[in-house]
Amino acid sequence: MSYPPPQAGGYPGYGGHSPQPGYQQPPPGQYPPQGYPPQQGYGAPPPQGPPQGYGQPQAYPPQGQYGQPPQQHGYPPQPPQQGYPQQQQPYGAPSHSPYPPQQQPYGAPPPQGQFPPQGQYPPQQHGQYPSQQGQYPPQQHQQQPPYGGPSAPYGAPPAQPYGAPPTMPTPPSPGYDPNQIAHVDMSGAADALRKAMKGFGTDESTLVRVLAHMTPQEIPALKQTYNQRHHRSLESDIESECSGYFEFALLAILRGPLQQDVWCLNNALKGAGTKEALLDDVLIGRSNADIRAIKAAYQQKYRRSLEADVKADLSAKTERMYLMILAASRQEESAPVLPQAVDADVTELHRATEAKTGTEQLTVCSILTSRSDGQIRAIAQAYEHKYRRALESVIRSEFAGHMEDALVRMVRSGADKAMRDAIALEDCMKGPGTKDERLTQRVTAVHWDRQHAAQVKGAYKHRFKKDLISRIKGETSGDYERILVAMLE
């Protein structure tokens, strides 16, 4: 299904921008020389009417930057590019790659060669995460074949063909390298939190003010400082002084993004039944580096492998799909988007779904779990151009239940992560009652990257014609409302 077109003049709150440039009209039977075009930010609406070839509206609004300057005459033809396409710039920076921008996972550091903002990780060294004695063992980077090349058997590490240039691995997101701790003085924050909980009553406003905007790297330093200065566990004090969903939100913050993911996965798999939506929130659309970090942290905390718990809780094709995700063998975001490979994937997806009676479910899963976000975005655009139907709509009609939801999330992760998260937040609040636990988990996950949170708020306003914070205020109350709102402000 396609996103609704915005009103004339651009999306609310972002001013008027130029329409999304489409493909340049190619010679018959050929792609334009620059391959798939870059995605513009939210801006003026695309032309109306059904697709008539290159240059017409796409199934999704483009990935990219709010507030991008308008282009006057579209993209001129460019000569074929050599080497790799550039990785996507941080939200708000213009893109110059001839390929669709390669979206980083939320909170990823800037491209190589730039200094990261203060408080974020520097780029990781190729080949392993930095490790310290007593921490996780180094993770060996698996070489990947070029997109469109022959794939390795299921479960086997991808091989690097002789002479193929290596792709740069996407670094782990902030908070996903356990050896990274902010070297800042947290004594003032630790003392303020202790004062807020000491004696009779609790100063909830101080808890909100101090914790709502902590970065992933500051959380371990804060807990360590609190323990050293007051000989107490900050999490234990929160548990004894707070209650309800307010306590639930504060503890989600104090775990930090990696340990919160681990906690959510255990919560999804323990007990009777499986919470597949929680598995999807944590695992789908993640970089290989993040998946490896999550698996290592889960193993360390529970002394069991995540794959073993998935196998014990799930079965059949759903189990196979999640094991494909946990293999951490996606194409890296630095891998090029090749039109010939995109065509091959589009044809194979059509053959496995609409072109036959019955659906080859594992074929679809294999393609979508192994492609990068930029490649999935190009596949979705090319599929609609070729077959006049949105890929998400095909999945909706060919699949059902948990596998349908997971595959739709994969397509949305490639098309527009901000819109994906905006829709996920609305799903927690629509209809009778509010899914408070899921809402809290999703707001917490979004808030770790301030730029991504701003993108989500803009996408939400475009999609639902209302302000996200006002919507949350209408569904929550008290200290619980205040902590959710503070995380998004």
Side-chain angles (χ1 to χ4, degrees):
M1 109 186 138
S2 299
Y3 294 138
Q7 299 175 355
Y11 295 153
Y14 293 93
H17 298 295
S18 64
Q20 175 185 350
Y23 298 115
Q24 302 295 324
Q25 189 67 29
Q30 297 184 21
Y31 282 93
Q34 71 270 29
Y36 289 92
Q39 304 294 306
Q40 279 284 61
Y42 286 105
Q48 302 301 315
Q52 298 295 328
Y54 295 113
Q56 299 302 318
Q58 306 299 333
Y60 298 97
Q63 287 277 38
Q65 300 79 25
Y66 292 94
Q68 200 169 22
Q71 302 292 329
Q72 298 300 322
H73 301 290
Y75 289 96
Q78 299 177 11
Q81 300 296 312
Q82 302 296 326
Y84 313 118
Q86 296 178 352
Q87 298 213 15
Q88 181 179 351
Q89 301 295 324
Y91 283 98
S95 173
H96 301 290
S97 171
Y99 299 103
Q102 309 295 314
Q103 178 167 344
Q104 301 283 10
Y106 74 91
Q112 299 290 337
Q114 296 182 12
F115 292 103
Q118 186 175 2
Q120 296 190 7
Y121 297 153
Q124 303 299 312
Q125 294 297 320
H126 177 69
Q128 65 178 34
Y129 304 122
S131 60
Q132 297 177 359
Q133 187 175 1
Q135 300 291 338
Y136 303 139
Q139 304 289 325
Q140 295 299 321
H141 170 62
Q142 295 178 335
Q143 298 288 341
Q144 296 182 318
Y147 175 45
S151 59
Y154 173 69
Q160 183 76 8
Y162 175 75
T167 57
M168 293 300 296
T170 303
S173 302
Y176 286 81
D177 182 345
N179 301 319
Q180 293 279 358
I181 300 178
H183 298 289
V184 294
D185 182 8
M186 303 302 294
S187 57
D191 292 347
L193 291 172
R194 181 67 194 127
K195 182 179 178 181
M197 294 183 285
K198 188 176 182 180
F200 181 76
T202 304
D203 181 1
E204 290 86 355
S205 62
T206 296
L207 300 183
V208 171
R209 175 178 57 81
V210 173
L211 294 176
H213 294 154
M214 283 279 168
T215 68
Q217 299 94 329
E218 289 172 341
I219 291 294
L222 173 65
K223 293 192 292 185
Q224 184 179 56
T225 302
Y226 189 92
N227 179 263
Q228 290 173 346
R229 292 177 69 85
H230 304 289
H231 308 289
R232 305 172 67 91
S233 163
L234 179 54
E235 287 139 310
S236 296
D237 282 355
I238 292 290
E239 288 174 341
S240 66
E241 295 292 330
C242 305
S243 61
Y245 290 114
F246 179 58
E247 173 195 346
F248 187 83
L250 294 180
L251 291 176
I253 294 171
L254 288 176
R255 291 186 192 104
L258 176 58
Q259 290 301 324
Q260 174 66 8
D261 281 350
V262 168
W263 184 91
C264 287
L265 289 171
N266 182 64
N267 188 33
L269 295 169
K270 71 180 182 181
T274 306
K275 300 174 183 175
E276 284 88 353
L278 200 49
L279 292 180
D280 294 346
D281 281 358
V282 173
L283 297 176
I284 289 177
R286 304 302 292 270
S287 68
N288 295 330
D290 283 0
I291 291 291
R292 288 193 288 266
I294 289 167
K295 291 195 297 181
Y298 190 96
Q299 174 79 43
Q300 187 183 66
K301 185 172 181 65
Y302 299 109
R303 306 301 176 189
R304 306 185 304 272
S305 77
L306 181 54
E307 291 94 334
D309 281 1
V310 166
K311 289 179 181 179
D313 224 52
L314 299 171
S315 61
K317 294 177 181 177
T318 304
E319 172 195 334
R320 290 283 300 278
M321 179 185 68
Y322 284 109
L323 291 178
M324 290 177 187
I325 295 170
L326 291 174
S329 58
R330 295 183 71 192
Q331 289 286 320
E332 298 288 353
E333 292 305 319
S334 60
V337 179
L338 305 177
Q340 299 89 339
V342 170
D343 272 346
D345 282 344
V346 166
T347 301
E348 185 68 0
L349 287 170
H350 184 260
R351 185 199 63 78
T353 55
E354 296 182 284
K356 60 182 296 181
T357 302
T359 304
E360 294 183 12
Q361 295 178 330
L362 290 181
T363 297
V364 178
C365 293
S366 178
I367 292 173
L368 294 181
T369 58
S370 61
R371 305 298 185 249
S372 69
D373 287 342
Q375 292 162 356
I376 291 174
R377 188 181 321 129
I379 290 167
Q381 292 173 352
Y383 193 101
E384 182 166 8
H385 168 70
K386 186 171 184 178
Y387 296 110
R388 302 298 189 262
R389 192 176 181 194
L391 181 57
E392 183 176 325
S393 298
V394 174
I395 292 171
R396 292 282 188 200
S397 64
E398 298 286 333
F399 292 83
H402 304 308
M403 187 172 285
E404 173 193 343
D405 294 338
L407 293 173
V408 166
R409 184 173 176 87
M410 291 178 202
V411 173
R412 288 178 176 176
S413 295
D416 190 339
K417 275 188 165 69
M419 184 62 76
R420 177 203 69 185
D421 290 345
I423 294 172
L425 289 171
E426 174 61 22
D427 287 344
C428 300
M429 297 181 282
K430 68 182 181 182
T434 303
K435 303 175 184 68
D436 293 289
E437 186 171 314
R438 191 176 299 175
L439 176 64
T440 303
Q441 289 162 345
R442 289 175 174 175
V443 169
T444 305
V446 164
H447 102 285
W448 292 117
D449 181 349
R450 308 307 301 168
Q451 291 175 316
H452 178 64
Q455 293 281 71
V456 171
K457 289 188 287 185
Y460 186 93
K461 191 164 188 178
H462 161 64
R463 172 83 173 194
F464 301 105
K465 310 303 185 219
K466 60 184 80 170
D467 179 71
L468 176 57
I469 289 179
S470 297
R471 180 80 165 104
I472 290 175
K473 287 180 177 180
E475 294 289 326
T476 58
S477 62
D479 296 322
Y480 170 47
E481 171 197 326
R482 284 188 279 275
I483 186 62
L484 293 187
V485 169
M487 281 193 279
L488 292 175
E489 286 181 336

CSV table of all heavy atoms in Angstrom, one decimal, residues 118 181-187 217-218 221 225:
chain,number,residue,atom,x,y,z
A,118,GLN,N,30.5,14.6,19.4
A,118,GLN,CA,31.0,14.3,20.7
A,118,GLN,C,30.0,13.4,21.5
A,118,GLN,O,28.8,13.7,21.4
A,118,GLN,CB,31.1,15.6,21.5
A,118,GLN,CG,31.8,15.4,22.9
A,118,GLN,CD,32.1,16.7,23.6
A,118,GLN,OE1,31.7,17.7,23.1
A,118,GLN,NE2,32.6,16.6,24.8
A,181,ILE,N,32.1,3.5,27.0
A,181,ILE,CA,31.5,4.2,28.1
A,181,ILE,C,32.0,5.7,28.0
A,181,ILE,O,33.1,6.0,27.7
A,181,ILE,CB,31.9,3.6,29.5
A,181,ILE,CG1,31.5,2.2,29.6
A,181,ILE,CG2,31.3,4.4,30.6
A,181,ILE,CD1,31.9,1.5,30.9
A,182,ALA,N,31.0,6.6,28.2
A,182,ALA,CA,31.4,8.0,28.1
A,182,ALA,C,32.3,8.4,29.3
A,182,ALA,O,31.9,8.0,30.5
A,182,ALA,CB,30.1,8.8,28.2
A,183,HIS,N,33.4,9.0,29.0
A,183,HIS,CA,34.3,9.4,30.1
A,183,HIS,C,33.9,10.9,30.5
A,183,HIS,O,34.6,11.8,30.2
A,183,HIS,CB,35.7,9.3,29.6
A,183,HIS,CG,36.1,7.9,29.3
A,183,HIS,ND1,36.3,6.9,30.2
A,183,HIS,CD2,36.3,7.3,28.1
A,183,HIS,CE1,36.6,5.8,29.6
A,183,HIS,NE2,36.7,6.0,28.3
A,184,VAL,N,32.8,11.0,31.2
A,184,VAL,CA,32.3,12.3,31.7
A,184,VAL,C,32.0,12.1,33.1
A,184,VAL,O,31.8,11.0,33.7
A,184,VAL,CB,31.1,12.7,30.9
A,184,VAL,CG1,31.4,13.0,29.4
A,184,VAL,CG2,30.0,11.7,31.0
A,185,ASP,N,32.0,13.3,33.8
A,185,ASP,CA,31.7,13.3,35.2
A,185,ASP,C,30.2,13.2,35.4
A,185,ASP,O,29.4,14.1,35.1
A,185,ASP,CB,32.2,14.6,35.8
A,185,ASP,CG,32.0,14.7,37.3
A,185,ASP,OD1,31.6,13.7,37.9
A,185,ASP,OD2,32.3,15.7,37.9
A,186,MET,N,29.7,12.1,36.0
A,186,MET,CA,28.3,11.9,36.2
A,186,MET,C,27.9,12.1,37.7
A,186,MET,O,26.8,11.7,38.1
A,186,MET,CB,27.9,10.5,35.7
A,186,MET,CG,28.2,10.2,34.3
A,186,MET,SD,27.4,11.3,33.1
A,186,MET,CE,25.7,10.9,33.4
A,187,SER,N,28.8,12.6,38.5
A,187,SER,CA,28.5,12.8,39.9
A,187,SER,C,27.3,13.7,40.2
A,187,SER,O,26.5,13.4,41.1
A,187,SER,CB,29.8,13.3,40.6
A,187,SER,OG,30.2,14.5,40.1
A,217,GLN,N,25.9,6.0,25.8
A,217,GLN,CA,27.2,5.9,26.4
A,217,GLN,C,27.2,6.4,27.8
A,217,GLN,O,28.1,6.0,28.6
A,217,GLN,CB,28.3,6.6,25.6
A,217,GLN,CG,28.4,6.1,24.2
A,217,GLN,CD,27.5,6.9,23.2
A,217,GLN,OE1,26.5,7.3,23.5
A,217,GLN,NE2,28.0,7.0,21.9
A,218,GLU,N,26.3,7.3,28.2
A,218,GLU,CA,26.3,7.9,29.5
A,218,GLU,C,25.6,7.0,30.5
A,218,GLU,O,25.9,7.1,31.7
A,218,GLU,CB,25.6,9.2,29.5
A,218,GLU,CG,26.4,10.3,28.8
A,218,GLU,CD,25.6,11.6,28.6
A,218,GLU,OE1,24.3,11.5,28.6
A,218,GLU,OE2,26.2,12.6,28.3
A,221,ALA,N,28.1,4.8,32.6
A,221,ALA,CA,28.8,5.7,33.5
A,221,ALA,C,28.0,6.2,34.7
A,221,ALA,O,28.4,6.3,35.8
A,221,ALA,CB,29.4,6.9,32.7
A,225,THR,N,28.8,5.4,38.6
A,225,THR,CA,29.0,6.5,39.5
A,225,THR,C,28.1,6.5,40.7
A,225,THR,O,28.5,6.7,41.8
A,225,THR,CB,28.9,7.9,38.7
A,225,THR,OG1,29.9,7.9,37.7
A,225,THR,CG2,29.2,9.0,39.7
